[in-house]
C-alpha cells in the first residue's frame, strides 16, 4: 500500500469558476480557491455557489478542492469564520487552508481536513513537526527552502508536504511581512497586501550616499521549478503548487498543462508514486511557460543562494527573450538571429537606462518590425515579448478534453428490460434501462448490434471516453432505434457521473490535536500574528506566552521589523559580508520610496541566519 506521500498532486490556482474549470480540464489533481471571505487574496474570493460547482466538477475526476480561509481573524470574526467552514464542509470541499490557530482551537468546527498555510512559517523541522502534531493533514512549506532542507523536514515527519513550484514569490517569509500594514494599514495577513515590495526605491549607504535610484530592490523574479520537480518528489514533496489566484484562465491552462506533462513523465518512470486523480488531458495546446506572464524566472533557493533572484529593473512581465535589436531605423527594426515568429499586436519590451520600455507591433514585413513607436530603441538592446497575441489565440482555440476511460455494456436485466451499464476502472457503474415490452422483434439482429455499437460509443460533451462496447446477443433480438440507445447512453453516463461525485465526497476528518506538544517558541511577539483570544489560549496551552498582539493590532511601527527576507541586497550587489566583511561599513542601508509616500526603511544583515532584516524608519 502506497504511503499518502506517494500520491502525487498537481495543485492549481483559481480566481473564479472559469479558472477552476480550466485547471481541471488541463490536468490539475487539486484546485485551491479563496473562500467568500477571510481569504489571503481578497480580490480572488469565490462565491459559495461557484465553489459548489467546482467541487462537483473536480470530484468527477477524483480531484480535490481546497478553500483558502487563511487570514488572521479578530475575535468578532470567529463565529462567521466557523459558519463558513461548516458551509464549505456541507458542499463537499475537501480541505481548508488556514493560518489562524483559532481554527484548530475553536469549538464545534466541522470535521473537515485542515492544511497549514505557508503563512504559518513552515521553514524548519520544529515548526512542521509541531503542526503535524496538531492534526494538519498537509503543510505548505516556506518557499525559501532548499532541496536539502525539504528532505531534512520530510525525513523527520510523516505529514504530506506541499511546495510552490511556479509563479510570483513573496520576498518576505510568507506571513512574516508587515510592510503593507505599516505603510498603509493594509495587512497581507488579512488579504489586502498593497505590494510595496514591487515599488522602486532609492538605496542609500550608511553615510547617506546614493547606491541606486528607481531600483526595484525587493521585487523578486517568478518561481519556476521545471527542472527540479523529480528531485522534489524524491525528497518528499507530495503536492506541487502553482501560485496564481489572480491570474486569468489562459495562464492557468498553460502552466497547469506544462507541469501536468512533466509530472506524468516522472510518474511513468517511478512506479513507487501514483497520481492522485484520474482523467487523461487530450489537447492541441503545446504549453510554454515563457509565453505567459512572468517577471523572468528563478529557481530561488532550491540549490542554495544564487544571484539574480530579483529584478531591479521592473516588477512587470518581461516575458519571452527574443534577441538583440538590429538594423534600427527611424520607424522599424529587426531582431538578430531570432527564429521566433513575431505577430501584429504583440507587445515587446526592452531595458533602456535601467528602466523597462514597452512597444506594440503594428506590422511585420518579413524580418522587419514596425512598432507603434520606437521609444528610442537602439541597436544591441535585448528585446522580450511580454504580450503574445498568437499564443493567447492558440489557448482560446485549443481543443481540450479530460477523459476518463470506461467500458459500456448492453444486456437484458433480470426482469427482461433492456439495460445499459457504463463502468469505470474503479468499478463504479452507471445504469439506465428501457422497458422491453415497448420494443418489437428485430428483423435484422446484425443491424441492431451495429447501431448499438455506434451509438453507445459516443460520449461527446462528457468526461468519459469509451474503450470497449459489449453487446449481449439477446439484445439483438429486439429492434432498438438510435434515439433509444442515445437516451440509454446519456442516462447511464449521467448516473456514472453522479456516482463518481458521491464516491469522491470527502470522508469526515475530525481534528486530532496533541495538547502535550510544545510550541517551537516559548514567547510570541507581534510577528507570530495573534489577533484573537482563542489563538492566544492555544499558544498558552502549548507552552508559549504571548507578549504582544499581532501587528494588525499595533499602532506605531517606527523602528519595528516589517520584513525578514532571505533575499539579500548586499549579496545581489556582490558585497556579501561573508566574502567581503570590509563592506559592513555600508550598513545599515536605507531604502526610500521617493515616488510615492516617501516611506523610509532601514536594512541590516543577519548573517548568522543568512537573511536580511527591514525596519520602518
Amino acid at each position: 500500500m502506497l504511503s499518502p506521500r506517494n500520491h502525487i498532486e498537481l495543485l492549481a490556482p483559481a480566481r473564479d469558476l472559469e479558472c477552476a474549470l480550466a485547471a481541471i480540464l488541463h490536468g490539475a489533481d487539486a484546485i485551491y480557491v479563496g473562500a467568500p471571505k477571510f481569504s489571503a487574496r481578497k480580490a480572488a474570493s469565490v462565491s459559495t455557489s461557484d465553489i459548489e460547482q467546482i467541487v462537483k466538477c473536480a470530484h468527477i475526476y477524483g480531484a480535490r478542492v481546497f478553500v483558502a480561509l487563511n487570514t488572521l481573524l479578530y475575535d468578532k470574526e470567529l463565529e462567521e469564520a466557523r459558519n463558513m467552514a461548516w458551509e464549505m464542509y456541507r458542499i463537499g470541499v475537501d480541505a481548508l487552508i488556514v493560518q489562524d490557530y483559532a481554527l484548530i482551537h475553536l469549538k464545534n468546527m466541522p470535521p473537515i481536513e485542515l492544511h497549514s498555510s505557508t503563512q504559518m512559517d513552515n521553514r524548519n523541522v520544529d515548526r512542521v513537526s509541531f503542526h503535524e502534531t496538531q492534526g494538519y493533514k498537509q503543510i505548505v512549506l516556506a518557499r525559501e527552502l532548499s532541496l536539502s532542507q525539504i528532505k531534512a523536514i520530510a525525513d523527520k515527519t510523516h505529514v504530506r508536504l506541499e511546495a510552490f513550484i511556479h509563479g510570483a514569490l513573496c520576498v518576505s517569509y510568507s506571513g512574516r511581512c508587515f510592510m503593507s500594514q505599516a505603510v498603509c494599514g493594509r495587512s497581507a495577513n488579512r488579504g489586502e497586501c498593497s505590494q510595496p515590495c514591487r515599488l522602486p526605491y532609492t538605496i542609500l549607504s550608511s553615510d547617506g550616499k546614493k547606491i541606486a535610484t528607481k531600483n526595484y530592490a525587493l521585487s523578486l523574479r517568478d518561481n519556476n521549478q521545471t527542472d527540479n520537480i523529480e528531485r522534489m518528489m524524491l525528497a518528499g514533496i507530495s503536492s506541487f503548487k502553482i501560485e496564481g489566484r489572480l491570474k486569468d484562465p489562459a495562464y492557468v491552462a498553460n502552466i497547469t498543462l506544462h507541469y501536468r506533462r512533466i509530472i506524468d513523465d516522472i510518474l511513468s518512470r517511478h512506479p513507487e508514486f501514483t497520481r492522485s486523480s484520474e482523467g487523461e488531458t487530450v489537447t492541441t495546446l503545446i504549453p510554454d511557460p515563457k509565453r505567459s506572464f512572468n517577471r523572468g524566472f528563478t529557481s530561488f533557493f532550491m540549490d542554495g543562494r544564487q544571484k539574480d533572484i530579483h529584478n531591479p529593473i521592473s516588477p512587470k512581465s518581461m516575458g519571452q527573450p527574443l534577441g538583440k535589436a538590429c538594423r534600427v531605423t527611424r520607424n522599424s527594426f529587426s531582431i538578430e538571429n531570432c527564429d521566433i515568429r513575431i505577430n501584429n499586436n504583440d507587445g515587446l519590451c526592452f531595458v533602456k537606462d535601467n528602466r523597462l520600455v514597452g512597444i506594440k507591433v503594428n506590422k511585420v514585413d518579413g524580418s522587419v518590425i514596425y512598432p507603434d513607436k520606437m521609444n528610442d530603441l537602439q541597436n544591441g538592446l535585448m528585446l522580450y515579448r511580454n504580450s503574445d497575441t498568437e499564443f493567447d489565440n492558440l489557448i482560446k482555440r485549443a481543443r481540450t478534453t479530460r477523459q476518463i476511460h470506461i467500458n459500456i455494456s448492453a444486456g437484458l436485466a433480470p426482469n427482461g428490460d433492456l439495460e445499459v451499464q457504463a463502468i469505470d476502472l474503479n468499478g463504479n457503474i452507471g445504469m439506465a434501462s428501457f422497458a422491453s415490452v415497448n420494443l418489437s422483434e428485430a428483423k435484422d439482429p446484425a443491424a441492431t448490434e451495429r447501431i448499438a455499437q455506434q451509438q453507445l460509443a459516443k460520449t461527446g460533451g462528457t468526461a468519459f471516453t469509451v474503450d470497449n462496447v459489449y453487446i449481449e446477443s439477446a439484445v439483438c433480438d429486439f429492434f432498438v432505434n438510435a434515439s433509444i440507445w442515445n437516451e440509454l447512453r446519456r442516462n447511464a453516463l449521467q448516473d456514472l457521473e453522479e456516482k463518481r461525485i458521491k464516491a469522491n465526497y470527502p470522508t469526515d476528518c475530525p481534528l486530532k490535536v496533541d495538547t502535550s506538544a510544545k510550541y517551537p517558541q516559548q514567547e510570541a511577539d507581534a510577528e507570530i500574528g495573534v489577533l484573537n483570544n482563542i489563538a492566544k489560549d492555544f499558544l498558552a496551552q502549548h507552552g508559549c506566552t504571548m507578549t504582544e498582539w499581532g501587528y494588525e493590532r499595533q499602532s506605531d511601527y517606527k523602528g519595528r521589523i516589517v520584513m525578514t527576507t532571505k533575499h539579500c541586497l548586499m549579496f545581489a550587489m556582490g558585497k556579501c559580508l561573508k566574502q567581503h566583511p570590509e563592506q559592513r561599513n555600508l550598513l545599515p542601508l536605507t531604502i526610500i520610496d521617493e515616488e510615492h509616500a516617501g516611506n523610509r526603511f532601514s536594512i541590516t544583515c543577519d548573517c548568522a541566519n543568512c537573511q536580511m532584516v527591514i525596519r520602518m524608519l
Side-chain angles (χ1 to χ4, degrees):
M1 184 175 178
L2 290 175
S3 159
R5 275 196 181 160
N6 289 54
H7 290 266
I8 301 303
E9 172 181 276
L10 174 59
L11 176 57
R15 72 182 185 191
D16 53 26
L17 176 60
E18 186 181 2
C19 284
L21 297 181
I24 294 167
L25 199 62
H26 290 84
D29 299 306
I31 302 95
Y32 66 105
V33 302
K37 196 173 178 182
F38 309 127
S39 160
R41 291 287 186 273
K42 192 173 183 179
S45 298
V46 183
S47 69
T48 300
S49 60
D50 279 357
I51 293 174
E52 188 169 16
Q53 286 190 62
I54 293 167
V55 166
K56 288 179 179 178
C57 181
H59 285 178
I60 292 171
Y61 298 97
R64 302 204 295 166
V65 178
F66 308 150
V67 170
L69 194 69
N70 58 338
T71 62
L72 294 177
L73 302 164
Y74 293 113
D75 286 288
K76 63 182 180 181
E77 296 170 327
L78 293 177
E79 182 63 23
E80 186 178 2
R82 176 168 48 199
N83 291 339
M84 189 168 293
W86 273 103
E87 199 169 20
M88 296 300 104
Y89 167 76
R90 291 186 186 105
I91 64 175
V93 165
D94 296 273
L96 299 178
I97 306 169
V98 300
Q99 176 186 189
D100 201 306
Y101 285 122
L103 295 178
I104 60 170
H105 200 53
L106 197 59
K107 293 181 179 178
N108 301 319
M109 283 287 287
I112 190 170
E113 186 172 303
L114 296 184
H115 293 181
S116 170
S117 169
T118 190
Q119 293 162 286
M120 300 182 83
D121 199 22
N122 295 307
R123 71 170 90 172
N124 55 42
V125 171
D126 289 346
R127 196 169 291 271
V128 174
S129 295
F130 175 75
H131 289 152
E132 181 176 15
T133 67
Q134 300 312 296
Y136 295 101
K137 297 300 182 184
Q138 191 154 300
I139 293 180
V140 191
L141 297 179
R143 295 169 173 90
E144 294 81 0
L145 296 181
S146 67
L147 191 72
S148 61
Q149 289 173 317
I150 289 172
K151 189 175 186 309
I153 290 171
D155 286 347
K156 295 187 178 180
T157 58
H158 299 92
V159 67
R160 283 174 57 85
L161 301 176
E162 178 182 316
F164 283 94
I165 57 169
H166 200 94
L169 288 162
C170 287
V171 63
S172 171
Y173 281 99
S174 301
R176 295 294 179 269
C177 184
F178 314 100
M179 185 177 271
S180 178
Q181 173 69 30
V183 300
C184 62
R186 290 174 52 182
S187 169
N189 289 311
R190 298 272 298 160
E192 298 180 327
C193 183
S194 62
Q195 295 191 311
C197 56
R198 300 294 185 187
L199 296 178
Y201 289 94
T202 295
I203 306 175
L204 307 178
S205 61
S206 59
D207 59 4
K209 291 182 180 178
K210 284 187 180 180
I211 295 175
T213 58
K214 296 182 179 179
N215 186 293
Y216 293 88
L218 303 177
S219 184
L220 297 183
R221 297 177 184 271
D222 283 359
N223 190 14
N224 186 334
Q225 301 297 342
T226 293
D227 297 330
N228 296 316
I229 301 300
E230 185 168 10
R231 295 195 299 154
M232 294 171 72
M233 197 180 296
L234 294 172
I237 297 300
S238 306
S239 181
F240 295 84
K241 186 174 194 173
I242 300 166
E243 187 279 336
R245 278 201 288 132
L246 297 176
K247 295 296 195 297
D248 62 22
Y251 179 95
V252 172
N254 182 33
I255 304 304
T256 301
L257 184 61
H258 169 71
Y259 284 101
R260 175 75 274 149
R261 292 186 170 178
I262 289 172
I263 290 174
D264 284 349
D265 177 64
I266 296 168
L267 294 179
S268 72
R269 293 183 278 104
H270 287 279
E272 70 271 29
F273 296 108
T274 187
R275 184 179 173 183
S276 62
S277 74
E278 301 171 69
E280 175 190 5
T281 294
V282 178
T283 181
T284 57
L285 176 64
I286 299 174
D288 187 350
K290 296 189 300 295
R291 298 178 76 174
S292 283
F293 180 101
N294 70 84
R295 300 177 177 89
F297 290 127
T298 175
S299 60
F300 212 30
F301 292 95
M302 189 56 60
D303 289 301
R305 187 174 291 282
Q306 58 179 304
K307 291 184 177 180
D308 301 325
I309 66 169
H310 85 303
N311 185 349
I313 304 299
S314 175
K316 298 178 181 178
S317 177
M318 293 186 70
Q320 184 179 22
L322 300 174
K324 293 180 179 179
C326 64
R327 298 192 295 279
V328 176
T329 71
R330 182 177 58 84
N331 62 353
S332 70
F333 64 94
S334 297
I335 303 176
E336 191 177 273
N337 299 323
C338 180
D339 57 1
I340 298 171
R341 179 179 171 180
I342 308 300
N343 300 286
N344 294 351
N345 295 316
D346 278 357
L348 309 184
C349 61
F350 57 93
V351 177
K352 179 75 186 302
D353 297 330
N354 216 35
R355 65 187 181 91
L356 192 67
V357 181
I359 55 178
K360 182 181 179 181
V361 176
N362 278 347
K363 186 177 75 170
V364 180
D365 184 3
S367 64
V368 181
I369 300 167
Y370 296 86
D372 59 342
K373 50 192 173 184
M374 294 298 292
N375 267 347
D376 200 24
L377 176 64
Q378 295 176 5
N379 284 315
L381 292 179
M382 185 69 183
L383 284 155
Y384 304 82
R385 176 165 58 187
N386 57 4
S387 179
D388 190 334
T389 305
E390 181 185 38
F391 192 62
D392 290 345
N393 289 333
L394 282 174
I395 294 176
K396 291 175 184 176
R397 294 195 305 265
R399 296 185 300 277
T400 304
T401 59
R402 181 168 174 177
Q403 301 173 344
I404 297 168
H405 291 265
I406 63 169
N407 294 317
I408 286 188
S409 65
L412 297 183
N415 65 358
D417 286 349
L418 182 62
E419 184 177 78
V420 168
Q421 294 186 354
I423 310 166
D424 67 21
L425 300 182
N426 297 326
N428 296 303
I429 302 174
M431 301 179 65
S433 62
F434 188 88
S436 58
V437 295
N438 296 324
L439 298 172
S440 57
E441 185 178 343
K443 295 180 180 179
D444 184 356
T448 296
E449 183 175 7
R450 185 173 61 255
I451 293 170
Q453 286 280 351
Q454 291 173 346
Q455 302 308 314
L456 294 180
K458 296 178 180 179
T459 57
T462 73
F464 305 107
T465 185
V466 177
D467 291 339
N468 301 287
V469 178
Y470 302 101
I471 310 295
E472 290 183 8
S473 58
V475 170
C476 301
D477 294 336
F478 295 95
F479 170 72
V480 186
N481 63 37
S483 63
I484 293 175
W485 287 123
N486 287 337
E487 180 183 356
L488 286 167
R489 183 197 69 241
R490 284 193 297 267
N491 291 342
L493 293 181
Q494 182 178 350
D495 187 47
L496 177 59
E497 187 176 283
E498 290 171 356
K499 285 177 177 174
R500 287 184 61 87
I501 292 171
K502 185 176 181 180
N504 289 314
Y505 194 91
T507 55
D508 283 1
C509 184
L511 197 64
K512 296 179 181 178
V513 176
D514 181 356
T515 56
S516 67
K518 295 298 181 184
Y519 191 72
Q521 296 173 221
Q522 292 184 339
E523 291 188 348
D525 59 14
E527 289 190 48
I528 299 297
V530 175
L531 302 183
N532 61 74
N533 283 288
I534 299 294
K536 179 182 178 182
D537 292 345
F538 170 84
L539 290 177
Q541 183 185 74
H542 293 278
C544 179
T545 302
M546 200 186 81
T547 59
E548 58 180 341
W549 293 107
Y551 270 75
E552 290 76 7
R553 291 185 63 168
Q554 305 295 323
S555 58
D556 184 9
Y557 303 98
K558 299 294 184 183
R560 299 197 67 138
I561 295 173
V562 293
M563 181 190 293
T564 302
T565 171
K566 204 161 178 64
H567 166 50
C568 179
L569 280 176
M570 294 295 286
F571 181 87
M573 294 187 296
K575 302 177 186 298
C576 173
L577 298 181
K578 291 183 178 179
Q579 282 81 44
H580 304 281
E582 74 280 1
Q583 300 292 339
R584 186 169 293 278
N585 64 336
L586 294 176
L587 297 176
L589 298 177
T590 299
I591 59 172
I592 308 170
D593 169 18
E594 292 187 314
E595 292 190 7
H596 297 80
N599 293 303
R600 300 167 65 91
F601 304 91
S602 168
I603 292 179
T604 55
C605 293
D606 175 6
C607 293
N609 294 302
C610 207
Q611 60 190 18
M612 189 168 73
V613 178
I614 303 179
R615 288 178 169 82
M616 186 87 175
L617 290 176

